[in-house]
Coordinates of all heavy atoms in Angstrom, one line a residue:
L251 N -13.3 15.7 10.4 CA -13.3 14.3 10.1 C -12.8 13.5 11.3 O -13.4 12.5 11.6 CB -12.5 14.1 8.8 CG -12.3 12.7 8.4 CD1 -13.6 12.1 8.0 CD2 -11.3 12.7 7.1
L252 N -11.7 13.9 11.9 CA -11.1 13.2 13.0 C -12.2 13.1 14.1 O -12.4 12.0 14.8 CB -9.8 13.9 13.4 CG -8.7 13.9 12.6 CD1 -7.5 14.6 13.3 CD2 -8.2 12.4 12.2
A253 N -12.9 14.2 14.3 CA -13.9 14.1 15.4 C -15.1 13.1 15.1 O -15.5 12.3 16.0 CB -14.5 15.5 15.6
V254 N -15.5 13.0 13.9 CA -16.5 12.0 13.5 C -15.9 10.7 13.6 O -16.6 9.7 14.1 CB -16.9 12.3 12.0 CG1 -17.8 11.1 11.5 CG2 -17.8 13.5 11.9
L255 N -14.7 10.5 13.3 CA -14.0 9.1 13.3 C -13.9 8.8 14.8 O -14.1 7.5 15.1 CB -12.6 9.2 12.6 CG -12.7 9.4 11.2 CD1 -11.3 9.3 10.6 CD2 -13.6 8.3 10.4
R256 N -13.6 9.7 15.7 CA -13.5 9.4 17.1 C -14.8 9.1 17.6 O -15.0 8.1 18.5 CB -13.0 10.7 17.8 CG -12.8 10.6 19.3 CD -11.8 9.5 19.8 NE -12.4 8.2 20.0 CZ -11.8 7.1 19.8 NH1 -10.5 7.0 19.4 NH2 -12.4 5.9 20.0
K257 N -15.9 9.7 17.2 CA -17.4 9.3 17.6 C -17.6 7.9 17.3 O -18.2 7.2 18.0 CB -18.2 10.3 17.0 CG -19.8 10.1 17.4 CD -20.7 11.1 16.8 CE -22.1 10.9 17.2 NZ -23.0 11.9 16.5
I258 N -17.2 7.5 16.0 CA -17.6 6.2 15.5 C -16.7 5.2 16.3 O -17.1 4.1 16.7 CB -17.3 6.2 13.9 CG1 -18.2 7.1 13.3 CG2 -17.4 4.7 13.5 CD1 -17.9 7.3 11.8
G259 N -15.5 5.5 16.5 CA -14.5 4.7 17.4 C -15.0 4.5 18.6 O -15.0 3.3 19.2
D260 N -15.7 5.4 19.3 CA -16.4 5.3 20.7 C -17.4 4.2 20.5 O -17.6 3.4 21.4 CB -16.8 6.5 21.2 CG -15.8 7.6 21.6 OD1 -14.6 7.1 21.7 OD2 -16.0 8.8 21.7
R261 N -18.2 4.2 19.4 CA -19.3 3.2 19.3 C -18.7 1.8 19.2 O -19.3 0.8 19.8 CB -20.1 3.4 18.0 CG -20.8 4.8 17.9 CD -21.4 5.0 16.5 NE -22.0 6.3 16.4 CZ -22.2 6.9 15.2 NH1 -21.9 6.2 14.1 NH2 -22.7 8.1 15.1
H262 N -17.5 1.6 18.6 CA -17.0 0.3 18.3 C -15.8 0.0 19.4 O -15.2 -1.1 19.3 CB -16.5 0.2 17.0 CG -17.6 0.4 15.9 ND1 -18.5 -0.7 15.7 CD2 -18.1 1.3 15.1 CE1 -19.4 -0.3 14.7 NE2 -19.1 0.9 14.4
R263 N -15.5 1.0 20.1 CA -14.3 0.8 21.0 C -13.0 0.5 20.2 O -12.2 -0.3 20.5 CB -14.5 -0.2 22.1 CG -15.6 -0.1 23.0 CD -15.8 -1.2 24.0 NE -16.9 -0.9 24.9 CZ -17.2 -1.7 25.9 NH1 -16.7 -2.8 26.2 NH2 -18.3 -1.4 26.8
R264 N -12.9 1.4 19.3 CA -11.7 1.3 18.3 C -11.1 2.8 18.2 O -11.7 3.7 18.7 CB -12.1 0.8 16.9 CG -12.6 -0.6 16.9 CD -11.8 -1.6 17.4 NE -12.0 -3.0 16.9 CZ -12.9 -3.9 17.5 NH1 -13.6 -3.4 18.5 NH2 -12.9 -5.0 16.9
S265 N -9.8 2.7 17.7 CA -9.1 4.0 17.5 C -9.6 4.6 16.2 O -10.1 4.0 15.3 CB -7.6 3.8 17.4 OG -7.2 3.0 16.3
I266 N -9.2 5.9 16.1 CA -9.4 6.6 14.8 C -8.7 5.9 13.6 O -9.3 5.7 12.6 CB -8.9 8.1 14.9 CG1 -9.9 8.8 15.7 CG2 -8.8 8.8 13.5 CD1 -9.4 10.3 16.0
A267 N -7.5 5.4 13.8 CA -6.8 4.8 12.8 C -7.5 3.4 12.4 O -7.5 3.1 11.2 CB -5.4 4.4 13.3
N268 N -8.1 2.7 13.3 CA -8.8 1.5 13.1 C -10.0 1.9 12.1 O -10.4 1.1 11.2 CB -9.4 0.9 14.3 CG -8.3 0.2 15.3 OD1 -8.5 0.1 16.4 ND2 -7.1 -0.1 14.7
I269 N -10.7 2.9 12.5 CA -12.0 3.3 11.7 C -11.5 3.6 10.2 O -12.1 3.3 9.3 CB -12.7 4.4 12.4 CG1 -13.2 4.0 13.8 CG2 -14.0 4.7 11.6 CD1 -14.0 2.8 13.9
A270 N -10.5 4.5 10.2 CA -10.1 4.9 8.8 C -9.6 3.7 8.0 O -9.8 3.6 6.7 CB -8.9 5.9 9.0
T271 N -8.9 2.7 8.6 CA -8.5 1.5 7.9 C -9.7 0.5 7.6 O -9.7 0.1 6.4 CB -7.5 0.7 8.8 OG1 -6.5 1.6 9.1 CG2 -6.9 -0.5 8.1
R272 N -10.6 0.4 8.5 CA -11.7 -0.4 8.2 C -12.6 0.2 7.0 O -13.1 -0.6 6.2 CB -12.6 -0.5 9.5 CG -13.9 -1.3 9.4 CD -13.5 -2.8 9.4 NE -13.4 -3.4 8.2 CZ -13.0 -4.7 8.0 NH1 -12.5 -5.4 9.0 NH2 -13.1 -5.3 6.8
W273 N -12.7 1.5 7.0 CA -13.5 2.1 5.8 C -12.8 1.7 4.5 O -13.5 1.4 3.6 CB -13.4 3.7 5.9 CG -14.2 4.3 5.0 CD1 -15.5 4.7 5.0 CD2 -13.7 4.9 3.7 NE1 -15.9 5.4 3.8 CE2 -14.7 5.5 3.0 CE3 -12.5 4.9 3.1 CZ2 -14.7 6.0 1.7 CZ3 -12.4 5.5 1.8 CH2 -13.4 6.1 1.2
V274 N -11.5 1.7 4.4 CA -10.8 1.3 3.2 C -11.0 -0.2 2.9 O -11.4 -0.6 1.8 CB -9.3 1.6 3.1 CG1 -8.6 1.0 2.1 CG2 -9.2 3.1 3.2
L275 N -10.9 -1.1 3.9 CA -11.0 -2.5 3.8 C -12.4 -2.9 3.4 O -12.5 -4.0 2.8 CB -10.6 -3.2 5.0 CG -9.1 -3.3 5.3 CD1 -8.7 -3.9 6.6 CD2 -8.2 -4.0 4.2
D276 N -13.4 -2.1 3.8 CA -14.8 -2.5 3.4 C -15.2 -2.3 1.9 O -16.3 -2.8 1.5 CB -15.7 -1.6 4.3 CG -16.0 -2.1 5.7 OD1 -15.4 -3.2 5.9 OD2 -16.6 -1.4 6.4
H277 N -14.2 -1.8 1.1 CA -14.3 -1.8 -0.3 C -14.0 -3.1 -0.9 O -12.8 -3.5 -0.7 CB -13.7 -0.6 -0.9 CG -14.2 0.7 -0.6 ND1 -13.8 1.3 0.6 CD2 -15.0 1.5 -1.2 CE1 -14.5 2.5 0.7 NE2 -15.2 2.6 -0.4
P278 N -14.8 -3.9 -1.6 CA -14.5 -5.2 -2.1 C -13.3 -5.2 -3.1 O -12.8 -6.3 -3.3 CB -15.9 -5.6 -2.8 CG -16.6 -4.4 -3.1 CD -16.2 -3.4 -2.0
F279 N -13.0 -4.2 -3.7 CA -11.9 -4.2 -4.7 C -10.5 -4.1 -4.0 O -9.5 -4.2 -4.6 CB -12.0 -3.2 -5.7 CG -12.2 -1.7 -5.2 CD1 -11.1 -0.9 -5.0 CD2 -13.4 -1.2 -5.0 CE1 -11.2 0.3 -4.4 CE2 -13.6 0.1 -4.5 CZ -12.5 0.8 -4.2
V280 N -10.5 -3.8 -2.6 CA -9.4 -3.7 -1.9 C -8.9 -5.1 -1.2 O -9.8 -5.8 -0.6 CB -9.5 -2.7 -0.8 CG1 -8.3 -2.7 0.2 CG2 -9.7 -1.4 -1.3
G281 N -7.8 -5.6 -1.6 CA -7.2 -6.8 -1.0 C -6.7 -6.6 0.4 O -7.0 -7.2 1.4
A282 N -5.8 -5.6 0.5 CA -5.1 -5.3 1.7 C -4.7 -3.9 1.8 O -4.5 -3.1 0.8 CB -3.9 -6.2 1.9
V283 N -4.5 -3.4 3.0 CA -4.0 -2.2 3.4 C -2.5 -2.3 3.8 O -2.2 -3.3 4.6 CB -4.7 -1.6 4.5 CG1 -4.0 -0.2 5.1 CG2 -6.1 -1.0 4.0
I284 N -1.5 -1.5 3.3 CA -0.2 -1.6 3.6 C 0.1 -0.6 4.6 O -0.1 0.7 4.2 CB 0.8 -1.5 2.3 CG1 0.4 -2.5 1.3 CG2 2.2 -1.6 2.8 CD1 1.2 -2.3 0.0
I285 N 0.4 -0.8 5.8 CA 0.7 0.1 6.9 C 2.1 0.2 7.1 O 2.8 -0.7 7.6 CB -0.1 -0.2 8.1 CG1 -1.6 -0.2 7.8 CG2 0.4 0.8 9.2 CD1 -2.4 -0.5 9.1
G286 N 2.7 1.4 6.9 CA 4.1 1.6 7.0 C 4.6 1.5 8.5 O 3.8 2.0 9.4
V287 N 5.6 0.7 8.8 CA 6.1 0.7 10.1 C 7.6 1.1 10.2 O 8.4 0.9 9.3 CB 5.9 -0.7 10.8 CG1 4.5 -1.0 10.7 CG2 6.6 -1.7 10.0
R288 N 8.0 1.7 11.3 CA 9.4 2.0 11.6 C 9.8 0.9 12.6 O 9.8 1.1 13.8 CB 9.6 3.3 12.2 CG 9.3 4.4 11.1 CD 9.5 5.8 11.7 NE 8.3 6.2 12.5 CZ 8.3 7.3 13.3 NH1 9.4 8.1 13.4 NH2 7.3 7.6 14.0
L289 N 10.2 -0.3 12.0 CA 10.5 -1.4 12.9 C 11.6 -1.1 13.9 O 12.7 -0.6 13.4 CB 10.9 -2.6 12.0 CG 9.9 -3.2 11.2 CD1 10.4 -4.1 10.2 CD2 8.8 -3.9 12.1
G290 N 11.4 -1.3 15.1 CA 12.4 -1.1 16.1 C 12.3 0.4 16.7 O 13.0 0.8 17.5
V291 N 11.5 1.3 16.0 CA 11.3 2.6 16.3 C 9.9 2.9 16.7 O 9.6 3.5 17.9 CB 11.8 3.6 15.2 CG1 11.6 5.0 15.5 CG2 13.2 3.2 14.9
S292 N 8.9 2.7 15.8 CA 7.5 3.0 16.0 C 6.8 2.0 15.2 O 6.7 2.0 14.0 CB 7.3 4.4 15.6 OG 5.8 4.6 15.7
E293 N 6.0 1.1 16.0 CA 5.1 0.1 15.3 C 4.0 -0.1 16.2 O 4.1 -0.1 17.4 CB 6.0 -1.1 15.1 CG 6.7 -1.6 16.3 CD 7.7 -2.7 15.9 OE1 7.4 -3.9 15.8 OE2 8.9 -2.4 15.6
H294 N 2.8 -0.5 15.6 CA 1.6 -0.7 16.4 C 0.9 -2.0 15.9 O -0.3 -2.0 15.6 CB 0.7 0.5 16.2 CG 1.3 1.8 16.5 ND1 1.5 2.3 17.8 CD2 1.9 2.8 15.6 CE1 2.2 3.5 17.8 NE2 2.3 3.7 16.4
P295 N 1.5 -3.1 16.0 CA 0.9 -4.3 15.6 C -0.4 -4.8 16.3 O -1.3 -5.2 15.8 CB 2.1 -5.4 15.7 CG 3.0 -4.9 16.7 CD 2.9 -3.3 16.6
D296 N -0.3 -4.6 17.6 CA -1.5 -5.0 18.4 C -2.7 -4.1 18.1 O -3.9 -4.6 18.0 CB -1.1 -4.9 20.0 CG -0.1 -6.0 20.4 OD1 -0.5 -7.2 20.3 OD2 1.0 -5.6 20.7
E297 N -2.4 -2.8 18.1 CA -3.6 -1.8 17.8 C -4.2 -2.1 16.4 O -5.3 -2.2 16.2 CB -3.1 -0.4 17.8 CG -4.2 0.6 17.5 CD -3.8 2.0 17.2 OE1 -2.7 2.4 17.7 OE2 -4.5 2.8 16.7

Side-chain angles (χ1 to χ4, degrees):
L251 176 61
L252 291 181
V254 166
L255 297 178
R256 181 62 269 154
K257 180 179 177 181
I258 296 170
D260 290 341
R261 294 173 191 160
H262 299 281
R263 298 184 180 179
R264 297 301 200 277
S265 70
I266 286 176
N268 291 158
I269 302 303
T271 304
R272 185 72 258 173
W273 184 87
V274 170
L275 287 175
D276 280 349
H277 291 82
F279 55 86
V280 173
V283 166
I284 306 172
I285 297 181
V287 298
R288 290 179 284 168
L289 292 169
V291 178
S292 177
E293 50 192 272
H294 308 279
D296 294 294
E297 179 190 343

